[in-house]
Amino acid sequence: MLWGSTLVALLMGIVASFVRVKASAKPTNAKKILIPPLAMTTGMIQFLIPAFRLSWVEVIEALAVGLIFSLFLIKTSNFEKRDGEVYLSRSKAFFIVVFALLAIRTAMKVWVGHEVDIFSTGGLFYLIAWGMIVPWRIAMYQKYKRIAIT
């Protein structure tokens, strides 16, 4: 199970890289930036099932790790204005950061997976991802607005 979910995470990282390259070729807008974290929020439904519930300390720790991870994504995500349209800037550093975070997250998952049951591990790593994506996308939106109005 652990290796299967790790393979899926790796494939998602590769897909995200291709999506990022493709996205930089087309103008972006606020919807494209803000919809992914909103859509991801539906995953919170898992916490209605008792097996997925975490202690408040675990929730705070997971969100804090996600916030720290988001700082690297924020730093490597920028926009540029071309022909009156706003585009996501290509950044080689972004790909390095994405795969480094994926490796760190996988190592953490292996370590935590031996200590915590699979449901709690799933909940923890969902919150890490959510805690990473939400601040990153909010920062992207702010950067987008600054570029769009100039």
Side-chain angles (χ1 to χ4, degrees):
M1 185 68 119
L2 180 65
W3 292 110
S5 64
T6 301
L7 180 61
V8 169
L10 179 61
L11 291 173
M12 287 175 62
I14 292 167
V15 168
S17 297
F18 284 114
V19 168
R20 175 73 181 238
V21 168
K22 208 171 178 185
S24 66
K26 297 178 185 174
T28 194
N29 58 45
K31 256 195 236 184
K32 290 179 183 178
I33 296 167
L34 296 175
I35 287 178
L38 290 175
M40 187 181 176
T41 301
T42 60
M44 293 288 184
I45 293 171
Q46 72 182 312
F47 296 111
L48 295 175
I49 299 168
F52 286 96
R53 292 192 187 139
L54 304 169
S55 71
W56 284 107
V57 172
E58 292 169 321
V59 170
I60 291 167
E61 288 172 343
L63 292 175
V65 169
L67 180 61
I68 291 166
F69 284 2
S70 75
L71 298 175
F72 298 101
L73 294 171
I74 291 167
K75 190 74 173 156
T76 58
S77 297
N78 293 300
F79 295 94
E80 60 189 6
K81 204 166 196 179
R82 286 185 261 147
D83 303 322
E85 301 275 6
V86 178
Y87 290 81
L88 195 55
S89 298
R90 284 192 181 186
S91 167
K92 290 180 184 176
F94 176 80
F95 299 111
I96 293 166
V97 166
V98 166
F99 285 103
L101 290 176
L102 183 62
I104 292 167
R105 198 169 172 266
T106 301
M108 289 171 56
K109 191 174 185 181
V110 169
W111 178 59
V112 169
H114 291 296
E115 305 294 324
V116 180
D117 69 86
I118 193 162
F119 298 107
S120 296
T121 301
L124 283 168
F125 282 88
Y126 169 81
L127 284 178
I128 289 171
W130 192 80
M132 177 174 61
I133 289 170
V134 170
W136 172 43
R137 291 302 181 125
I138 290 170
M140 283 178 69
Y141 178 68
Q142 291 171 337
K143 289 179 179 183
Y144 167 80
K145 280 186 7 183
R146 266 187 251 128
I147 296 290
I149 60 172
T150 58

